């Protein structure tokens, strides 16, 4: 799985588990932090709250989230086929739906944190929910009645599939874990950044170090998941592997809660999703009103009475695209402005409307990045199933767990990033005259090319694997190990991993750069939703292909040796190629926000350049 740090790193999300009375408390300089409060709602004292002591207590939560989610996901398909006796297609869909839901629930977790309960409570509550889900999964592996009995050795056809009650317990566990993952992932990194004061040079440098350590803990959690945890699951038992996850989460949750008195809390500012909804609803409610010929007559930031609110918004020029949304900023002649602003979902500033338009312009790019994660999903499903049929021995005694092949992702990323930084960037600077090397859209494009190469490599490897199965008369024996090394699968893992290094960072850079100043948290939601939808699209494709190809000539047969998995990989390669063409058209059409504002003579304020590192 990707090293999914929260892409909200570097953005400002102000939350608090406390009441709104904080905003009325007096603020002092020096000894207290201007915009932060302690757990009792008092101005946070610099010497007694925040800093590395607080941040260190937060880091472990994200490490546990990575260990748990990744440790379950990369090896789940073997559990579903080997223990729950599900088919390959069904198992793949369970895995992709689980991961897709985990990422989609990040939107819910972020909305809850930004609007209602704050990052602290969101992190704590959802970590406990994740621990509960892993505990249920652990119990389901221990109690014999919660999973079907083992197959009889002499015939795999005698395997008893999991019944409805057993599947309900499994799904309850998985989607409870997904809910916990969504809440933790959306909040914990931002809460960690809240422990440092950006107005203080010393603490600002510490915040940069915190992000480095945050990525380090994510990497540690990911590496431990695909190596140690998967090995424990395969050799000591799933109950041991899942039990270790549940125990680790509870330990670090206790550490997290122990730091409550030292944490700094920031006030809620609401979710950008609400702003988008308000603009659309207000425009619809005033759909019969005529737009004024002069945009300056529309309600805008300068019309706001509250000076504090005016300073929070960056004035944006009026654009002629999506003019219907402008109706949200119409001053209704029948209602005075003060009354209209007090009415919810009726009046938005023109700047709010333009921010929504900025997000809407990003949607074609957003949509064309989904396909990469659809390809990525195959690495945790069918590629793992392929690995189970191949020789995984290193030497005579050690056998690589099938789920541990995900380790090649890490290797390809570690190889790709320095090559890009030391070789590609200098060349691109000279050829493209771009100080950053490749632009965000160019990086995404390179990642999409790698995804096509990955599916081509996967298809060719599967052709080779099926040839070996036929040559040795093992087509009808799904449990046999083919005399073919598992390292034939490395190219497809390598290409997807390298593609991730380009696509992941390119998407982060693009969404952070292009999201408007007032909607920076939207970058998190847009990024994670592409991952989520990528997994869901994979589930849809698998379902359609499985139904259309039937059982007799099934591409995705339960016995891979009798299937045509290579056809499915070729299908993904073709779809990825078509998607690349659409992406190139959308990328050529897209104008970066800073260029658009420069054309209008407006200087881009408060650009978060640190996020483009």
């Amino acid at each position: 799985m990707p090293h999914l740090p929260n892409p909200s790193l570097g953005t400002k999300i102000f939350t608090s588990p406390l009441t709104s009375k904080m905003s009325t408390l007096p603020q002092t300089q020096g000894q207290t932090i201007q915009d932060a409060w302690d757990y009792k709602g008092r101005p946070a004292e610099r010497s007694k709250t925040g800093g590395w002591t607080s941040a260190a207590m937060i880091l472990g939560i994200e490490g546990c989230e990575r260990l748990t989610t990744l440790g379950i996901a990369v090896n789940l398909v073997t559990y579903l086929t080997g223990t729950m006796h599900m088919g390959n297609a069904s198992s793949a869909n369970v895995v992709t739906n689980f991961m897709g839901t985990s990422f989609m629930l990040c939107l819910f977790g972020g909305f809850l944190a930004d609007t209602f309960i704050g990052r602290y409570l969101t992190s704590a509550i959802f970590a406990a929910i994740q621990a509960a889900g892993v505990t249920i999964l652990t119990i389901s592996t221990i109690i014999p009645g919660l999973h079907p009995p083992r197959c009889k050795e002499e015939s795999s056809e005698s395997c008893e599939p999991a019944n409805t009650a057993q599947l309900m317990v499994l799904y309850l566990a998985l989607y409870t874990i997904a809910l916990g993952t969504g809440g933790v992932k959306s909040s914990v990194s931002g809460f960690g950044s809240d422990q440092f004061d950006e107005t203080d040079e010393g603490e600002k440098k510490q915040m940069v170090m915190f992000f480095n350590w945050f990525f380090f803990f994510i990497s540690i959690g990911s590496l431990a998941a695909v190596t140690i945890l998967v090995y424990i699951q395969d050799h000591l038992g799933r109950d041991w592997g899942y039990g270790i996850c549940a125990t680790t989460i509870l330990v670090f949750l206790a550490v997290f809660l122990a730091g409550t008195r030292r944490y700094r809390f920031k006030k809620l500012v609401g979710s950008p999703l609400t702003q988008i909804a308000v603009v659309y609803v207000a425009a619809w409610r005033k759909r019969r009103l005529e737009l004024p010929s002069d945009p300056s007559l529309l309600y805008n930031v300068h019309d706001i009475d509250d000076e504090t609110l005016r300073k929070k918004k960056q004035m944006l020029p009026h654009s002629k695209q999506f003019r219907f949304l402008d109706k949200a900023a119409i001053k209704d002649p029948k209602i005075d402005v003060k009354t209209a602003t007090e009415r919810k979902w009726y009046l938005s500033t023109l700047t709010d409307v333009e921010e929504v338009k900025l997000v809407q312009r990003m949607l074609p790019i957003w949509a064309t990045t989904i396909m990469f994660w659809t390809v990525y999903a195959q690495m945790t499903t069918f590629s793992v199933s392929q690995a189970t049929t191949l020789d995984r021995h290193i030497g005579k005694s050690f056998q690589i767990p099938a789920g541990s092949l995900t380790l090649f992702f890490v290797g390809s990323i570690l190889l790709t990033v320095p090559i890009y930084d030391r070789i590609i960037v200098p060349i691109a600077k000279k050829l493209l005259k771009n100080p950053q090397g490749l632009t965000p859209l160019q990086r995404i494009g390179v990642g999409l090319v790698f995804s096509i190469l990955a599916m081509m490599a996967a298809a060719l490897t599967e052709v080779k694997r099926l040839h070996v199965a036929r040559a040795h008369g093992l087509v009808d024996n799904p449990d046999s190990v083919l005399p073919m090394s598992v390292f034939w699968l490395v190219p497809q893992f390598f290409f997807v991993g390298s593609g991730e290094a380009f696509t992941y960072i390119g998407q982060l850079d693009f969404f952070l750069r292009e999201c408007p100043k007032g909607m920076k948290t939207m970058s998190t939601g847009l990024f994670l939703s592409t991952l989520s939808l990528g997994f869901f699209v994979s589930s849809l494709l698998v379902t359609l292909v499985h139904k259309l190809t039937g059982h007799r000539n099934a591409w995705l047969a339960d016995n891979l040796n009798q299937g045509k998995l290579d056809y499915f990989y070729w299908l993904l390669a073709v779809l990825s190629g078509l998607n690349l063409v659409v992406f190139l058209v959308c990328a050529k059409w897209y104008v970066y926000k800073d260029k658009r504002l420069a054309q209008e003579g407006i200087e881009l304020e408060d650009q978060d350049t640190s996020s483009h590192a």
Side-chain angles (χ1 to χ4, degrees), residues 69-84 91 94-96 98-99 137 170 174 230 233 238 242 380 384 403:
T69 307
L70 194 55
I72 290 172
V74 298
N75 212 25
L76 183 58
V77 71
T78 60
Y79 177 72
L80 296 175
T81 55
T83 301
M84 303 302 286
S91 299
V94 170
V95 175
T96 51
F98 164 63
M99 293 305 300
L137 187 61
L170 174 67
L174 291 178
V230 169
Q233 291 172 12
R238 302 277 173 164
Y242 299 150
T380 59
V384 176

PDB file of all heavy atoms in Angstrom, residues 69-84 91 94-96 98-99 137 170 174 230 233 238 242 380 384 403:
ATOM      1  N   THR A  69      -3.648  -1.380   9.122  1.00  0.00           N
ATOM      2  CA  THR A  69      -4.349  -1.371   7.838  1.00  0.00           C
ATOM      3  C   THR A  69      -3.558  -2.103   6.767  1.00  0.00           C
ATOM      4  O   THR A  69      -4.098  -2.940   6.033  1.00  0.00           O
ATOM      5  CB  THR A  69      -4.612   0.077   7.385  1.00  0.00           C
ATOM      6  OG1 THR A  69      -5.277   0.786   8.439  1.00  0.00           O
ATOM      7  CG2 THR A  69      -5.482   0.108   6.145  1.00  0.00           C
ATOM      8  N   LEU A  70      -2.285  -1.802   6.666  1.00  0.00           N
ATOM      9  CA  LEU A  70      -1.449  -2.429   5.642  1.00  0.00           C
ATOM     10  C   LEU A  70      -1.212  -3.904   5.960  1.00  0.00           C
ATOM     11  O   LEU A  70      -1.238  -4.753   5.062  1.00  0.00           O
ATOM     12  CB  LEU A  70      -0.126  -1.685   5.530  1.00  0.00           C
ATOM     13  CG  LEU A  70       0.740  -1.967   4.301  1.00  0.00           C
ATOM     14  CD1 LEU A  70      -0.055  -1.717   3.030  1.00  0.00           C
ATOM     15  CD2 LEU A  70       1.977  -1.100   4.324  1.00  0.00           C
ATOM     16  N   GLY A  71      -0.970  -4.223   7.237  1.00  0.00           N
ATOM     17  CA  GLY A  71      -0.732  -5.607   7.628  1.00  0.00           C
ATOM     18  C   GLY A  71      -1.910  -6.514   7.340  1.00  0.00           C
ATOM     19  O   GLY A  71      -1.748  -7.699   7.024  1.00  0.00           O
ATOM     20  N   ILE A  72      -3.124  -5.962   7.441  1.00  0.00           N
ATOM     21  CA  ILE A  72      -4.323  -6.741   7.130  1.00  0.00           C
ATOM     22  C   ILE A  72      -4.546  -6.799   5.629  1.00  0.00           C
ATOM     23  O   ILE A  72      -4.822  -7.862   5.059  1.00  0.00           O
ATOM     24  CB  ILE A  72      -5.549  -6.126   7.837  1.00  0.00           C
ATOM     25  CG1 ILE A  72      -5.443  -6.339   9.349  1.00  0.00           C
ATOM     26  CG2 ILE A  72      -6.851  -6.736   7.312  1.00  0.00           C
ATOM     27  CD1 ILE A  72      -6.498  -5.610  10.148  1.00  0.00           C
ATOM     28  N   ALA A  73      -4.399  -5.655   4.941  1.00  0.00           N
ATOM     29  CA  ALA A  73      -4.767  -5.568   3.523  1.00  0.00           C
ATOM     30  C   ALA A  73      -3.887  -6.427   2.622  1.00  0.00           C
ATOM     31  O   ALA A  73      -4.398  -7.136   1.745  1.00  0.00           O
ATOM     32  CB  ALA A  73      -4.709  -4.114   3.064  1.00  0.00           C
ATOM     33  N   VAL A  74      -2.551  -6.378   2.811  1.00  0.00           N
ATOM     34  CA  VAL A  74      -1.661  -7.056   1.862  1.00  0.00           C
ATOM     35  C   VAL A  74      -1.756  -8.568   1.953  1.00  0.00           C
ATOM     36  O   VAL A  74      -1.378  -9.273   1.013  1.00  0.00           O
ATOM     37  CB  VAL A  74      -0.194  -6.614   2.052  1.00  0.00           C
ATOM     38  CG1 VAL A  74      -0.038  -5.134   1.791  1.00  0.00           C
ATOM     39  CG2 VAL A  74       0.330  -6.972   3.441  1.00  0.00           C
ATOM     40  N   ASN A  75      -2.248  -9.085   3.064  1.00  0.00           N
ATOM     41  CA  ASN A  75      -2.326 -10.539   3.234  1.00  0.00           C
ATOM     42  C   ASN A  75      -3.756 -11.025   3.371  1.00  0.00           C
ATOM     43  O   ASN A  75      -3.992 -12.191   3.660  1.00  0.00           O
ATOM     44  CB  ASN A  75      -1.521 -10.954   4.475  1.00  0.00           C
ATOM     45  CG  ASN A  75      -0.891 -12.328   4.330  1.00  0.00           C
ATOM     46  OD1 ASN A  75      -0.648 -12.795   3.216  1.00  0.00           O
ATOM     47  ND2 ASN A  75      -0.637 -12.994   5.444  1.00  0.00           N
ATOM     48  N   LEU A  76      -4.725 -10.113   3.150  1.00  0.00           N
ATOM     49  CA  LEU A  76      -6.123 -10.480   3.360  1.00  0.00           C
ATOM     50  C   LEU A  76      -6.627 -11.451   2.304  1.00  0.00           C
ATOM     51  O   LEU A  76      -7.417 -12.344   2.593  1.00  0.00           O
ATOM     52  CB  LEU A  76      -6.983  -9.205   3.370  1.00  0.00           C
ATOM     53  CG  LEU A  76      -8.474  -9.385   3.646  1.00  0.00           C
ATOM     54  CD1 LEU A  76      -8.702 -10.076   4.992  1.00  0.00           C
ATOM     55  CD2 LEU A  76      -9.177  -8.023   3.619  1.00  0.00           C
ATOM     56  N   VAL A  77      -6.158 -11.288   1.054  1.00  0.00           N
ATOM     57  CA  VAL A  77      -6.671 -12.139  -0.012  1.00  0.00           C
ATOM     58  C   VAL A  77      -6.330 -13.605   0.245  1.00  0.00           C
ATOM     59  O   VAL A  77      -7.119 -14.504  -0.069  1.00  0.00           O
ATOM     60  CB  VAL A  77      -6.139 -11.666  -1.385  1.00  0.00           C
ATOM     61  CG1 VAL A  77      -4.655 -11.952  -1.543  1.00  0.00           C
ATOM     62  CG2 VAL A  77      -6.928 -12.299  -2.518  1.00  0.00           C
ATOM     63  N   THR A  78      -5.170 -13.897   0.830  1.00  0.00           N
ATOM     64  CA  THR A  78      -4.810 -15.290   1.128  1.00  0.00           C
ATOM     65  C   THR A  78      -5.670 -15.840   2.262  1.00  0.00           C
ATOM     66  O   THR A  78      -5.974 -17.040   2.295  1.00  0.00           O
ATOM     67  CB  THR A  78      -3.323 -15.398   1.510  1.00  0.00           C
ATOM     68  OG1 THR A  78      -3.068 -14.590   2.668  1.00  0.00           O
ATOM     69  CG2 THR A  78      -2.440 -14.931   0.375  1.00  0.00           C
ATOM     70  N   TYR A  79      -6.069 -14.989   3.196  1.00  0.00           N
ATOM     71  CA  TYR A  79      -6.969 -15.420   4.286  1.00  0.00           C
ATOM     72  C   TYR A  79      -8.356 -15.732   3.735  1.00  0.00           C
ATOM     73  O   TYR A  79      -8.976 -16.732   4.115  1.00  0.00           O
ATOM     74  CB  TYR A  79      -7.057 -14.325   5.346  1.00  0.00           C
ATOM     75  CG  TYR A  79      -8.019 -14.639   6.471  1.00  0.00           C
ATOM     76  CD1 TYR A  79      -7.713 -15.598   7.426  1.00  0.00           C
ATOM     77  CD2 TYR A  79      -9.230 -13.963   6.572  1.00  0.00           C
ATOM     78  CE1 TYR A  79      -8.595 -15.890   8.463  1.00  0.00           C
ATOM     79  CE2 TYR A  79     -10.121 -14.243   7.594  1.00  0.00           C
ATOM     80  CZ  TYR A  79      -9.797 -15.210   8.543  1.00  0.00           C
ATOM     81  OH  TYR A  79     -10.682 -15.499   9.564  1.00  0.00           O
ATOM     82  N   LEU A  80      -8.829 -14.899   2.814  1.00  0.00           N
ATOM     83  CA  LEU A  80     -10.170 -15.089   2.263  1.00  0.00           C
ATOM     84  C   LEU A  80     -10.255 -16.346   1.400  1.00  0.00           C
ATOM     85  O   LEU A  80     -11.247 -17.070   1.446  1.00  0.00           O
ATOM     86  CB  LEU A  80     -10.565 -13.858   1.437  1.00  0.00           C
ATOM     87  CG  LEU A  80     -10.684 -12.540   2.219  1.00  0.00           C
ATOM     88  CD1 LEU A  80     -10.953 -11.388   1.267  1.00  0.00           C
ATOM     89  CD2 LEU A  80     -11.779 -12.634   3.276  1.00  0.00           C
ATOM     90  N   THR A  81      -9.202 -16.606   0.618  1.00  0.00           N
ATOM     91  CA  THR A  81      -9.228 -17.799  -0.234  1.00  0.00           C
ATOM     92  C   THR A  81      -8.858 -19.062   0.543  1.00  0.00           C
ATOM     93  O   THR A  81      -9.457 -20.118   0.346  1.00  0.00           O
ATOM     94  CB  THR A  81      -8.258 -17.628  -1.421  1.00  0.00           C
ATOM     95  OG1 THR A  81      -6.945 -17.326  -0.925  1.00  0.00           O
ATOM     96  CG2 THR A  81      -8.723 -16.521  -2.335  1.00  0.00           C
ATOM     97  N   GLY A  82      -7.870 -18.955   1.439  1.00  0.00           N
ATOM     98  CA  GLY A  82      -7.378 -20.141   2.139  1.00  0.00           C
ATOM     99  C   GLY A  82      -8.184 -20.542   3.347  1.00  0.00           C
ATOM    100  O   GLY A  82      -8.357 -21.735   3.618  1.00  0.00           O
ATOM    101  N   THR A  83      -8.704 -19.563   4.104  1.00  0.00           N
ATOM    102  CA  THR A  83      -9.435 -19.873   5.338  1.00  0.00           C
ATOM    103  C   THR A  83     -10.944 -19.741   5.174  1.00  0.00           C
ATOM    104  O   THR A  83     -11.702 -20.599   5.613  1.00  0.00           O
ATOM    105  CB  THR A  83      -8.971 -18.946   6.483  1.00  0.00           C
ATOM    106  OG1 THR A  83      -7.568 -19.119   6.686  1.00  0.00           O
ATOM    107  CG2 THR A  83      -9.703 -19.263   7.781  1.00  0.00           C
ATOM    108  N   MET A  84     -11.381 -18.648   4.512  1.00  0.00           N
ATOM    109  CA  MET A  84     -12.823 -18.428   4.332  1.00  0.00           C
ATOM    110  C   MET A  84     -13.354 -19.114   3.075  1.00  0.00           C
ATOM    111  O   MET A  84     -14.561 -19.128   2.837  1.00  0.00           O
ATOM    112  CB  MET A  84     -13.111 -16.927   4.269  1.00  0.00           C
ATOM    113  CG  MET A  84     -12.635 -16.137   5.479  1.00  0.00           C
ATOM    114  SD  MET A  84     -13.339 -16.718   7.048  1.00  0.00           S
ATOM    115  CE  MET A  84     -15.009 -16.093   6.925  1.00  0.00           C
ATOM    116  N   SER A  91     -12.760 -12.562  -3.372  1.00  0.00           N
ATOM    117  CA  SER A  91     -11.727 -12.137  -2.416  1.00  0.00           C
ATOM    118  C   SER A  91     -11.120 -10.804  -2.813  1.00  0.00           C
ATOM    119  O   SER A  91     -10.909  -9.917  -1.964  1.00  0.00           O
ATOM    120  CB  SER A  91     -10.629 -13.202  -2.330  1.00  0.00           C
ATOM    121  OG  SER A  91     -11.146 -14.434  -1.887  1.00  0.00           O
ATOM    122  N   VAL A  94     -13.488  -8.030  -1.907  1.00  0.00           N
ATOM    123  CA  VAL A  94     -13.539  -7.751  -0.466  1.00  0.00           C
ATOM    124  C   VAL A  94     -12.365  -6.861  -0.066  1.00  0.00           C
ATOM    125  O   VAL A  94     -12.524  -5.891   0.685  1.00  0.00           O
ATOM    126  CB  VAL A  94     -13.517  -9.068   0.341  1.00  0.00           C
ATOM    127  CG1 VAL A  94     -13.316  -8.782   1.840  1.00  0.00           C
ATOM    128  CG2 VAL A  94     -14.817  -9.835   0.145  1.00  0.00           C
ATOM    129  N   VAL A  95     -11.165  -7.182  -0.594  1.00  0.00           N
ATOM    130  CA  VAL A  95      -9.972  -6.392  -0.259  1.00  0.00           C
ATOM    131  C   VAL A  95     -10.093  -4.971  -0.787  1.00  0.00           C
ATOM    132  O   VAL A  95      -9.858  -3.995  -0.056  1.00  0.00           O
ATOM    133  CB  VAL A  95      -8.698  -7.054  -0.829  1.00  0.00           C
ATOM    134  CG1 VAL A  95      -7.475  -6.171  -0.574  1.00  0.00           C
ATOM    135  CG2 VAL A  95      -8.483  -8.427  -0.201  1.00  0.00           C
ATOM    136  N   THR A  96     -10.468  -4.816  -2.059  1.00  0.00           N
ATOM    137  CA  THR A  96     -10.540  -3.478  -2.642  1.00  0.00           C
ATOM    138  C   THR A  96     -11.670  -2.648  -2.032  1.00  0.00           C
ATOM    139  O   THR A  96     -11.525  -1.435  -1.842  1.00  0.00           O
ATOM    140  CB  THR A  96     -10.709  -3.555  -4.172  1.00  0.00           C
ATOM    141  OG1 THR A  96     -11.800  -4.435  -4.495  1.00  0.00           O
ATOM    142  CG2 THR A  96      -9.445  -4.077  -4.825  1.00  0.00           C
ATOM    143  N   PHE A  98     -12.732  -2.950   1.052  1.00  0.00           N
ATOM    144  CA  PHE A  98     -12.244  -2.598   2.388  1.00  0.00           C
ATOM    145  C   PHE A  98     -11.312  -1.398   2.326  1.00  0.00           C
ATOM    146  O   PHE A  98     -11.462  -0.417   3.073  1.00  0.00           O
ATOM    147  CB  PHE A  98     -11.518  -3.816   2.996  1.00  0.00           C
ATOM    148  CG  PHE A  98     -10.646  -3.494   4.180  1.00  0.00           C
ATOM    149  CD1 PHE A  98     -11.188  -2.991   5.359  1.00  0.00           C
ATOM    150  CD2 PHE A  98      -9.272  -3.687   4.118  1.00  0.00           C
ATOM    151  CE1 PHE A  98     -10.382  -2.696   6.449  1.00  0.00           C
ATOM    152  CE2 PHE A  98      -8.458  -3.398   5.202  1.00  0.00           C
ATOM    153  CZ  PHE A  98      -9.013  -2.896   6.366  1.00  0.00           C
ATOM    154  N   MET A  99     -10.349  -1.413   1.389  1.00  0.00           N
ATOM    155  CA  MET A  99      -9.406  -0.312   1.285  1.00  0.00           C
ATOM    156  C   MET A  99     -10.086   0.949   0.755  1.00  0.00           C
ATOM    157  O   MET A  99      -9.813   2.063   1.224  1.00  0.00           O
ATOM    158  CB  MET A  99      -8.248  -0.695   0.365  1.00  0.00           C
ATOM    159  CG  MET A  99      -7.357  -1.808   0.918  1.00  0.00           C
ATOM    160  SD  MET A  99      -6.709  -1.429   2.559  1.00  0.00           S
ATOM    161  CE  MET A  99      -5.801   0.065   2.261  1.00  0.00           C
ATOM    162  N   LEU A 137     -11.803  -9.078  14.598  1.00  0.00           N
ATOM    163  CA  LEU A 137     -11.157  -9.909  13.586  1.00  0.00           C
ATOM    164  C   LEU A 137     -10.298 -10.995  14.238  1.00  0.00           C
ATOM    165  O   LEU A 137     -10.279 -12.149  13.777  1.00  0.00           O
ATOM    166  CB  LEU A 137     -10.297  -9.027  12.676  1.00  0.00           C
ATOM    167  CG  LEU A 137      -9.674  -9.690  11.447  1.00  0.00           C
ATOM    168  CD1 LEU A 137     -10.753 -10.242  10.522  1.00  0.00           C
ATOM    169  CD2 LEU A 137      -8.796  -8.699  10.688  1.00  0.00           C
ATOM    170  N   LEU A 170     -16.986 -11.240   9.735  1.00  0.00           N
ATOM    171  CA  LEU A 170     -15.801 -10.767   9.012  1.00  0.00           C
ATOM    172  C   LEU A 170     -15.993  -9.337   8.526  1.00  0.00           C
ATOM    173  O   LEU A 170     -15.122  -8.476   8.716  1.00  0.00           O
ATOM    174  CB  LEU A 170     -15.525 -11.691   7.823  1.00  0.00           C
ATOM    175  CG  LEU A 170     -14.397 -11.244   6.876  1.00  0.00           C
ATOM    176  CD1 LEU A 170     -13.049 -11.297   7.576  1.00  0.00           C
ATOM    177  CD2 LEU A 170     -14.383 -12.101   5.610  1.00  0.00           C
ATOM    178  N   LEU A 174     -13.950  -5.891   9.446  1.00  0.00           N
ATOM    179  CA  LEU A 174     -13.223  -5.122   8.433  1.00  0.00           C
ATOM    180  C   LEU A 174     -13.724  -3.682   8.338  1.00  0.00           C
ATOM    181  O   LEU A 174     -12.925  -2.740   8.270  1.00  0.00           O
ATOM    182  CB  LEU A 174     -13.332  -5.800   7.063  1.00  0.00           C
ATOM    183  CG  LEU A 174     -12.589  -7.131   6.902  1.00  0.00           C
ATOM    184  CD1 LEU A 174     -12.814  -7.711   5.513  1.00  0.00           C
ATOM    185  CD2 LEU A 174     -11.094  -6.955   7.153  1.00  0.00           C
ATOM    186  N   VAL A 230       3.257  -9.907   8.382  1.00  0.00           N
ATOM    187  CA  VAL A 230       2.805 -10.923   7.424  1.00  0.00           C
ATOM    188  C   VAL A 230       3.459 -12.268   7.726  1.00  0.00           C
ATOM    189  O   VAL A 230       2.812 -13.325   7.643  1.00  0.00           O
ATOM    190  CB  VAL A 230       3.115 -10.469   5.983  1.00  0.00           C
ATOM    191  CG1 VAL A 230       2.897 -11.617   4.998  1.00  0.00           C
ATOM    192  CG2 VAL A 230       2.248  -9.278   5.602  1.00  0.00           C
ATOM    193  N   GLN A 233       1.648 -13.801  10.636  1.00  0.00           N
ATOM    194  CA  GLN A 233       0.340 -14.311  10.220  1.00  0.00           C
ATOM    195  C   GLN A 233       0.463 -15.669   9.533  1.00  0.00           C
ATOM    196  O   GLN A 233      -0.349 -16.573   9.764  1.00  0.00           O
ATOM    197  CB  GLN A 233      -0.332 -13.307   9.280  1.00  0.00           C
ATOM    198  CG  GLN A 233      -0.763 -12.015   9.942  1.00  0.00           C
ATOM    199  CD  GLN A 233      -1.253 -10.991   8.931  1.00  0.00           C
ATOM    200  OE1 GLN A 233      -1.472 -11.311   7.761  1.00  0.00           O
ATOM    201  NE2 GLN A 233      -1.399  -9.750   9.364  1.00  0.00           N
ATOM    202  N   ARG A 238      -3.006 -16.264  12.203  1.00  0.00           N
ATOM    203  CA  ARG A 238      -3.659 -14.963  12.069  1.00  0.00           C
ATOM    204  C   ARG A 238      -4.016 -14.377  13.428  1.00  0.00           C
ATOM    205  O   ARG A 238      -3.986 -13.159  13.612  1.00  0.00           O
ATOM    206  CB  ARG A 238      -4.934 -15.109  11.237  1.00  0.00           C
ATOM    207  CG  ARG A 238      -4.712 -15.679   9.859  1.00  0.00           C
ATOM    208  CD  ARG A 238      -4.287 -14.620   8.876  1.00  0.00           C
ATOM    209  NE  ARG A 238      -3.927 -15.222   7.589  1.00  0.00           N
ATOM    210  CZ  ARG A 238      -3.806 -14.542   6.463  1.00  0.00           C
ATOM    211  NH1 ARG A 238      -4.006 -13.240   6.450  1.00  0.00           N
ATOM    212  NH2 ARG A 238      -3.452 -15.140   5.350  1.00  0.00           N
ATOM    213  N   TYR A 242      -3.081 -10.549  14.186  1.00  0.00           N
ATOM    214  CA  TYR A 242      -4.108  -9.545  14.453  1.00  0.00           C
ATOM    215  C   TYR A 242      -4.119  -9.136  15.927  1.00  0.00           C
ATOM    216  O   TYR A 242      -4.383  -7.976  16.257  1.00  0.00           O
ATOM    217  CB  TYR A 242      -5.481 -10.077  14.040  1.00  0.00           C
ATOM    218  CG  TYR A 242      -5.589 -10.402  12.565  1.00  0.00           C
ATOM    219  CD1 TYR A 242      -6.443 -11.403  12.107  1.00  0.00           C
ATOM    220  CD2 TYR A 242      -4.835  -9.704  11.619  1.00  0.00           C
ATOM    221  CE1 TYR A 242      -6.549 -11.697  10.747  1.00  0.00           C
ATOM    222  CE2 TYR A 242      -4.927 -10.001  10.264  1.00  0.00           C
ATOM    223  CZ  TYR A 242      -5.787 -11.000   9.837  1.00  0.00           C
ATOM    224  OH  TYR A 242      -5.876 -11.298   8.503  1.00  0.00           O
ATOM    225  N   THR A 380      -2.429  -5.808  -4.529  1.00  0.00           N
ATOM    226  CA  THR A 380      -2.809  -6.387  -3.234  1.00  0.00           C
ATOM    227  C   THR A 380      -3.817  -7.514  -3.393  1.00  0.00           C
ATOM    228  O   THR A 380      -4.254  -8.086  -2.397  1.00  0.00           O
ATOM    229  CB  THR A 380      -3.411  -5.300  -2.323  1.00  0.00           C
ATOM    230  OG1 THR A 380      -4.560  -4.726  -2.958  1.00  0.00           O
ATOM    231  CG2 THR A 380      -2.397  -4.216  -2.031  1.00  0.00           C
ATOM    232  N   VAL A 384      -0.960 -10.990  -5.504  1.00  0.00           N
ATOM    233  CA  VAL A 384      -0.701 -11.843  -4.337  1.00  0.00           C
ATOM    234  C   VAL A 384      -1.176 -13.260  -4.621  1.00  0.00           C
ATOM    235  O   VAL A 384      -0.518 -14.243  -4.244  1.00  0.00           O
ATOM    236  CB  VAL A 384      -1.381 -11.257  -3.083  1.00  0.00           C
ATOM    237  CG1 VAL A 384      -1.193 -12.200  -1.895  1.00  0.00           C
ATOM    238  CG2 VAL A 384      -0.822  -9.875  -2.758  1.00  0.00           C
ATOM    239  N   GLY A 403       2.186 -12.195   0.753  1.00  0.00           N
ATOM    240  CA  GLY A 403       1.851 -10.801   0.997  1.00  0.00           C
ATOM    241  C   GLY A 403       3.052  -9.890   1.136  1.00  0.00           C
ATOM    242  O   GLY A 403       2.933  -8.666   0.978  1.00  0.00           O
TER     243      GLY A 403
END
